[in-house]
Amino acid sequence: MIIRSNYLNDVIPFIDTELIKVMTGVRRSGKSMMLTMIQEYLLAKEIRRDQFITMNFEELIFEPYLEYHALNDYLEAQIQQIEGKVYLFLDEIQEVQQFEKVINSLRATFQERVDIYITGSNAKLLSGELATLLGGRYVQFEIYPFKFSEYVQGRRSVADERSNQELFQAYLLEGGMPFLVAQNMQYRDRVNYLADVYNSIILKDIIERESIRDPELLRRLLSYVLGNIGRTFSANSVVKYLKNEGVNASVTTVLNYLSFAVDAYAIIPLRRYDIQGKRFLGSQEKYYVVDHGLRQAIIGRNEEDVELILENIVLLELMARGYEVSVGKTNQYEVDFIAERKGATGINRKYVQVSYLLASAETRMREFRPLKEIQDNYEKLLLTLDLFTSDAEGIRHRNLVEWLLDENW
């Protein structure tokens, strides 16, 4: 098991507190693995295994408890039979209708006797009634697929002796879905697994959950988004594209379907921020995919679109390191990412530009220019796959693979 220390270290301070620990993220991103890691941590602290109650509501054995009264009765009976504090691990809780009533009832009934951990595959898990019932009584953690350093660790665990640079070439195509990383599968089998995961996200977390009336339109729309990750487009431009493809759709439908895909963690929207004006711009978000391996499995072209995939990888890395990320605009230029994180001394901001290779003086000038336009003193970083890098005018130039493996940045 790959220990995801960045997430585990975030959770540990909240263990044995009354706050409900909620882990959300795309299907198969490792949320169940996180519950196992927390259990292993507790066992090392001499908590007994019989103090755990673990349920995964995608398993058929727990189907009788998908009705919330039945679940509540079962858990109450189990808790009363256990001596000492009880640790509840409820996986894919969104499969239980009105599950929020159970969580709130257990919290109110047993109070400090229970420590509750739940996972779900939809961002709306904490919206509506759950947020109302538990206002201020939960803490949320978003779990993403493996970043590159975790991918390397996983490949090393199965005796993969390729260099880090060679592993990065594989990561470009395979992505970081945890199950795949520790498997010695043929490439075709990897693609089939990722396609199955993607189709499961589309069917269970979007079509069924949101009662989508036009599944084919949804699939066409998401294929368009996957093909244009990191590129600016508007709902109007998507409608025009679909019309040219013989598909009629309204702007409202496109926006709704995009919102549903975001809620399912399939795609990640980034707002654009005017650095000079110090304000977010109101239109034309950029979208990225939660795992670039899914993109390769569905539309291919990761190698051909390598600049876009590198951006996607850097975005996921920044988010895994706890940064809030937006796209920067400075005068007529665009900065790929503004990354911000709250620290002990205030906001820690970094500007990040991503490129494939600085193959010419013109390319070097083009990639450095947006960062040079920024007048404040926050760190400015250019990431490329060049093996030899050189800083310029206060801008750090680093090899992207080395940066991904540098946990101290």
Side-chain angles (χ1 to χ4, degrees), residues 358 364 368 382-391 396-400 402:
L358 302 186
R364 181 178 175 85
F368 272 94
L382 173 62
L383 299 172
T384 74
L385 292 182
D386 293 284
L387 295 179
F388 300 99
T389 61
S390 58
D391 301 345
R396 297 184 65 195
H397 179 202
R398 292 194 62 182
N399 175 266
L400 193 153
E402 293 179 358

PDB file of all heavy atoms in Angstrom, residues 358 364 368 382-391 396-400 402:
ATOM      1  N   LEU A 358      12.287  24.500 -24.269  1.00  0.00           N
ATOM      2  CA  LEU A 358      12.696  25.812 -24.772  1.00  0.00           C
ATOM      3  C   LEU A 358      13.674  25.568 -25.925  1.00  0.00           C
ATOM      4  O   LEU A 358      14.893  25.690 -25.783  1.00  0.00           O
ATOM      5  CB  LEU A 358      13.331  26.629 -23.658  1.00  0.00           C
ATOM      6  CG  LEU A 358      12.463  26.879 -22.422  1.00  0.00           C
ATOM      7  CD1 LEU A 358      13.167  27.838 -21.467  1.00  0.00           C
ATOM      8  CD2 LEU A 358      11.086  27.413 -22.800  1.00  0.00           C
ATOM      9  N   ARG A 364      11.939  30.551 -25.714  1.00  0.00           N
ATOM     10  CA  ARG A 364      12.374  30.980 -24.383  1.00  0.00           C
ATOM     11  C   ARG A 364      11.803  32.351 -24.047  1.00  0.00           C
ATOM     12  O   ARG A 364      11.265  32.563 -22.954  1.00  0.00           O
ATOM     13  CB  ARG A 364      13.903  31.011 -24.320  1.00  0.00           C
ATOM     14  CG  ARG A 364      14.465  31.430 -22.967  1.00  0.00           C
ATOM     15  CD  ARG A 364      15.982  31.392 -22.963  1.00  0.00           C
ATOM     16  NE  ARG A 364      16.503  31.907 -21.705  1.00  0.00           N
ATOM     17  CZ  ARG A 364      16.654  31.194 -20.601  1.00  0.00           C
ATOM     18  NH1 ARG A 364      16.309  29.916 -20.595  1.00  0.00           N
ATOM     19  NH2 ARG A 364      17.143  31.727 -19.500  1.00  0.00           N
ATOM     20  N   PHE A 368       9.073  33.088 -20.948  1.00  0.00           N
ATOM     21  CA  PHE A 368       9.488  33.940 -19.836  1.00  0.00           C
ATOM     22  C   PHE A 368       8.676  35.236 -19.768  1.00  0.00           C
ATOM     23  O   PHE A 368       8.482  35.804 -18.683  1.00  0.00           O
ATOM     24  CB  PHE A 368      10.984  34.278 -19.946  1.00  0.00           C
ATOM     25  CG  PHE A 368      11.887  33.274 -19.290  1.00  0.00           C
ATOM     26  CD1 PHE A 368      12.458  32.230 -20.017  1.00  0.00           C
ATOM     27  CD2 PHE A 368      12.178  33.357 -17.937  1.00  0.00           C
ATOM     28  CE1 PHE A 368      13.301  31.304 -19.411  1.00  0.00           C
ATOM     29  CE2 PHE A 368      13.023  32.434 -17.324  1.00  0.00           C
ATOM     30  CZ  PHE A 368      13.585  31.409 -18.068  1.00  0.00           C
ATOM     31  N   LEU A 382       9.198  28.691 -13.976  1.00  0.00           N
ATOM     32  CA  LEU A 382       8.979  28.129 -15.308  1.00  0.00           C
ATOM     33  C   LEU A 382       9.400  26.663 -15.275  1.00  0.00           C
ATOM     34  O   LEU A 382      10.539  26.334 -14.924  1.00  0.00           O
ATOM     35  CB  LEU A 382       9.789  28.887 -16.355  1.00  0.00           C
ATOM     36  CG  LEU A 382       9.785  28.295 -17.777  1.00  0.00           C
ATOM     37  CD1 LEU A 382       8.367  28.269 -18.355  1.00  0.00           C
ATOM     38  CD2 LEU A 382      10.717  29.093 -18.688  1.00  0.00           C
ATOM     39  N   LEU A 383       8.467  25.761 -15.638  1.00  0.00           N
ATOM     40  CA  LEU A 383       8.717  24.325 -15.636  1.00  0.00           C
ATOM     41  C   LEU A 383       8.735  23.804 -17.065  1.00  0.00           C
ATOM     42  O   LEU A 383       7.784  24.028 -17.825  1.00  0.00           O
ATOM     43  CB  LEU A 383       7.635  23.595 -14.843  1.00  0.00           C
ATOM     44  CG  LEU A 383       7.507  23.958 -13.362  1.00  0.00           C
ATOM     45  CD1 LEU A 383       6.274  23.288 -12.760  1.00  0.00           C
ATOM     46  CD2 LEU A 383       8.760  23.543 -12.599  1.00  0.00           C
ATOM     47  N   THR A 384       9.787  23.101 -17.439  1.00  0.00           N
ATOM     48  CA  THR A 384       9.896  22.489 -18.761  1.00  0.00           C
ATOM     49  C   THR A 384      10.570  21.133 -18.618  1.00  0.00           C
ATOM     50  O   THR A 384      11.054  20.771 -17.539  1.00  0.00           O
ATOM     51  CB  THR A 384      10.725  23.362 -19.740  1.00  0.00           C
ATOM     52  OG1 THR A 384      12.112  23.257 -19.395  1.00  0.00           O
ATOM     53  CG2 THR A 384      10.296  24.818 -19.684  1.00  0.00           C
ATOM     54  N   LEU A 385      10.618  20.386 -19.712  1.00  0.00           N
ATOM     55  CA  LEU A 385      11.310  19.100 -19.711  1.00  0.00           C
ATOM     56  C   LEU A 385      12.772  19.221 -20.132  1.00  0.00           C
ATOM     57  O   LEU A 385      13.445  18.203 -20.321  1.00  0.00           O
ATOM     58  CB  LEU A 385      10.578  18.109 -20.624  1.00  0.00           C
ATOM     59  CG  LEU A 385       9.198  17.650 -20.136  1.00  0.00           C
ATOM     60  CD1 LEU A 385       8.593  16.641 -21.103  1.00  0.00           C
ATOM     61  CD2 LEU A 385       9.268  17.060 -18.726  1.00  0.00           C
ATOM     62  N   ASP A 386      13.275  20.441 -20.260  1.00  0.00           N
ATOM     63  CA  ASP A 386      14.695  20.627 -20.562  1.00  0.00           C
ATOM     64  C   ASP A 386      15.538  20.031 -19.445  1.00  0.00           C
ATOM     65  O   ASP A 386      15.285  20.265 -18.259  1.00  0.00           O
ATOM     66  CB  ASP A 386      15.016  22.115 -20.694  1.00  0.00           C
ATOM     67  CG  ASP A 386      14.355  22.746 -21.913  1.00  0.00           C
ATOM     68  OD1 ASP A 386      14.846  22.509 -23.018  1.00  0.00           O
ATOM     69  OD2 ASP A 386      13.343  23.457 -21.737  1.00  0.00           O
ATOM     70  N   LEU A 387      16.567  19.271 -19.820  1.00  0.00           N
ATOM     71  CA  LEU A 387      17.462  18.694 -18.820  1.00  0.00           C
ATOM     72  C   LEU A 387      18.410  19.737 -18.241  1.00  0.00           C
ATOM     73  O   LEU A 387      18.867  19.610 -17.105  1.00  0.00           O
ATOM     74  CB  LEU A 387      18.251  17.536 -19.431  1.00  0.00           C
ATOM     75  CG  LEU A 387      17.409  16.332 -19.862  1.00  0.00           C
ATOM     76  CD1 LEU A 387      18.300  15.253 -20.477  1.00  0.00           C
ATOM     77  CD2 LEU A 387      16.613  15.769 -18.698  1.00  0.00           C
ATOM     78  N   PHE A 388      18.711  20.775 -19.033  1.00  0.00           N
ATOM     79  CA  PHE A 388      19.568  21.859 -18.567  1.00  0.00           C
ATOM     80  C   PHE A 388      18.727  23.128 -18.478  1.00  0.00           C
ATOM     81  O   PHE A 388      18.084  23.527 -19.446  1.00  0.00           O
ATOM     82  CB  PHE A 388      20.756  22.056 -19.519  1.00  0.00           C
ATOM     83  CG  PHE A 388      21.607  20.831 -19.643  1.00  0.00           C
ATOM     84  CD1 PHE A 388      21.469  19.973 -20.718  1.00  0.00           C
ATOM     85  CD2 PHE A 388      22.541  20.516 -18.662  1.00  0.00           C
ATOM     86  CE1 PHE A 388      22.240  18.835 -20.831  1.00  0.00           C
ATOM     87  CE2 PHE A 388      23.324  19.384 -18.764  1.00  0.00           C
ATOM     88  CZ  PHE A 388      23.169  18.535 -19.846  1.00  0.00           C
ATOM     89  N   THR A 389      18.698  23.737 -17.313  1.00  0.00           N
ATOM     90  CA  THR A 389      17.831  24.885 -17.079  1.00  0.00           C
ATOM     91  C   THR A 389      18.669  26.087 -16.667  1.00  0.00           C
ATOM     92  O   THR A 389      19.774  25.943 -16.143  1.00  0.00           O
ATOM     93  CB  THR A 389      16.816  24.580 -15.967  1.00  0.00           C
ATOM     94  OG1 THR A 389      17.522  24.283 -14.751  1.00  0.00           O
ATOM     95  CG2 THR A 389      15.939  23.390 -16.341  1.00  0.00           C
ATOM     96  N   SER A 390      18.112  27.275 -16.879  1.00  0.00           N
ATOM     97  CA  SER A 390      18.812  28.507 -16.498  1.00  0.00           C
ATOM     98  C   SER A 390      17.802  29.559 -16.085  1.00  0.00           C
ATOM     99  O   SER A 390      16.818  29.806 -16.795  1.00  0.00           O
ATOM    100  CB  SER A 390      19.668  29.026 -17.657  1.00  0.00           C
ATOM    101  OG  SER A 390      18.875  29.259 -18.800  1.00  0.00           O
ATOM    102  N   ASP A 391      18.015  30.172 -14.914  1.00  0.00           N
ATOM    103  CA  ASP A 391      17.126  31.208 -14.411  1.00  0.00           C
ATOM    104  C   ASP A 391      17.341  32.507 -15.185  1.00  0.00           C
ATOM    105  O   ASP A 391      18.364  32.688 -15.859  1.00  0.00           O
ATOM    106  CB  ASP A 391      17.390  31.448 -12.927  1.00  0.00           C
ATOM    107  CG  ASP A 391      17.186  30.188 -12.095  1.00  0.00           C
ATOM    108  OD1 ASP A 391      16.587  29.231 -12.614  1.00  0.00           O
ATOM    109  OD2 ASP A 391      17.628  30.171 -10.935  1.00  0.00           O
ATOM    110  N   ARG A 396      12.720  31.442 -11.742  1.00  0.00           N
ATOM    111  CA  ARG A 396      13.380  30.144 -11.623  1.00  0.00           C
ATOM    112  C   ARG A 396      12.940  29.225 -12.757  1.00  0.00           C
ATOM    113  O   ARG A 396      11.744  29.102 -13.040  1.00  0.00           O
ATOM    114  CB  ARG A 396      13.051  29.488 -10.281  1.00  0.00           C
ATOM    115  CG  ARG A 396      13.555  30.258  -9.068  1.00  0.00           C
ATOM    116  CD  ARG A 396      13.267  29.488  -7.795  1.00  0.00           C
ATOM    117  NE  ARG A 396      14.024  28.223  -7.766  1.00  0.00           N
ATOM    118  CZ  ARG A 396      13.746  27.225  -6.927  1.00  0.00           C
ATOM    119  NH1 ARG A 396      12.731  27.329  -6.068  1.00  0.00           N
ATOM    120  NH2 ARG A 396      14.471  26.127  -6.938  1.00  0.00           N
ATOM    121  N   HIS A 397      13.877  28.586 -13.390  1.00  0.00           N
ATOM    122  CA  HIS A 397      13.608  27.617 -14.454  1.00  0.00           C
ATOM    123  C   HIS A 397      14.017  26.244 -13.947  1.00  0.00           C
ATOM    124  O   HIS A 397      15.176  26.039 -13.590  1.00  0.00           O
ATOM    125  CB  HIS A 397      14.397  28.002 -15.716  1.00  0.00           C
ATOM    126  CG  HIS A 397      14.206  27.049 -16.857  1.00  0.00           C
ATOM    127  ND1 HIS A 397      15.107  26.938 -17.896  1.00  0.00           N
ATOM    128  CD2 HIS A 397      13.224  26.138 -17.122  1.00  0.00           C
ATOM    129  CE1 HIS A 397      14.678  26.035 -18.752  1.00  0.00           C
ATOM    130  NE2 HIS A 397      13.543  25.521 -18.305  1.00  0.00           N
ATOM    131  N   ARG A 398      13.067  25.300 -13.894  1.00  0.00           N
ATOM    132  CA  ARG A 398      13.357  23.984 -13.345  1.00  0.00           C
ATOM    133  C   ARG A 398      12.868  22.883 -14.273  1.00  0.00           C
ATOM    134  O   ARG A 398      11.876  23.041 -14.988  1.00  0.00           O
ATOM    135  CB  ARG A 398      12.706  23.801 -11.964  1.00  0.00           C
ATOM    136  CG  ARG A 398      13.296  24.678 -10.884  1.00  0.00           C
ATOM    137  CD  ARG A 398      12.870  24.226  -9.510  1.00  0.00           C
ATOM    138  NE  ARG A 398      13.335  22.859  -9.226  1.00  0.00           N
ATOM    139  CZ  ARG A 398      13.049  22.219  -8.100  1.00  0.00           C
ATOM    140  NH1 ARG A 398      12.322  22.795  -7.172  1.00  0.00           N
ATOM    141  NH2 ARG A 398      13.496  20.991  -7.907  1.00  0.00           N
ATOM    142  N   ASN A 399      13.547  21.750 -14.202  1.00  0.00           N
ATOM    143  CA  ASN A 399      13.072  20.571 -14.909  1.00  0.00           C
ATOM    144  C   ASN A 399      11.795  20.077 -14.246  1.00  0.00           C
ATOM    145  O   ASN A 399      11.736  19.888 -13.028  1.00  0.00           O
ATOM    146  CB  ASN A 399      14.145  19.478 -14.870  1.00  0.00           C
ATOM    147  CG  ASN A 399      13.670  18.180 -15.490  1.00  0.00           C
ATOM    148  OD1 ASN A 399      13.186  17.299 -14.792  1.00  0.00           O
ATOM    149  ND2 ASN A 399      13.800  18.057 -16.802  1.00  0.00           N
ATOM    150  N   LEU A 400      10.782  19.849 -15.040  1.00  0.00           N
ATOM    151  CA  LEU A 400       9.459  19.529 -14.507  1.00  0.00           C
ATOM    152  C   LEU A 400       9.470  18.217 -13.724  1.00  0.00           C
ATOM    153  O   LEU A 400       8.856  18.113 -12.645  1.00  0.00           O
ATOM    154  CB  LEU A 400       8.452  19.464 -15.664  1.00  0.00           C
ATOM    155  CG  LEU A 400       6.962  19.440 -15.310  1.00  0.00           C
ATOM    156  CD1 LEU A 400       6.152  20.033 -16.444  1.00  0.00           C
ATOM    157  CD2 LEU A 400       6.466  18.031 -15.026  1.00  0.00           C
ATOM    158  N   GLU A 402      11.953  16.742 -12.140  1.00  0.00           N
ATOM    159  CA  GLU A 402      12.645  16.937 -10.861  1.00  0.00           C
ATOM    160  C   GLU A 402      11.768  17.714  -9.887  1.00  0.00           C
ATOM    161  O   GLU A 402      11.744  17.411  -8.686  1.00  0.00           O
ATOM    162  CB  GLU A 402      13.967  17.665 -11.095  1.00  0.00           C
ATOM    163  CG  GLU A 402      14.992  16.850 -11.862  1.00  0.00           C
ATOM    164  CD  GLU A 402      16.268  17.616 -12.096  1.00  0.00           C
ATOM    165  OE1 GLU A 402      16.335  18.804 -11.691  1.00  0.00           O
ATOM    166  OE2 GLU A 402      17.211  17.040 -12.681  1.00  0.00           O
TER     167      GLU A 402
END
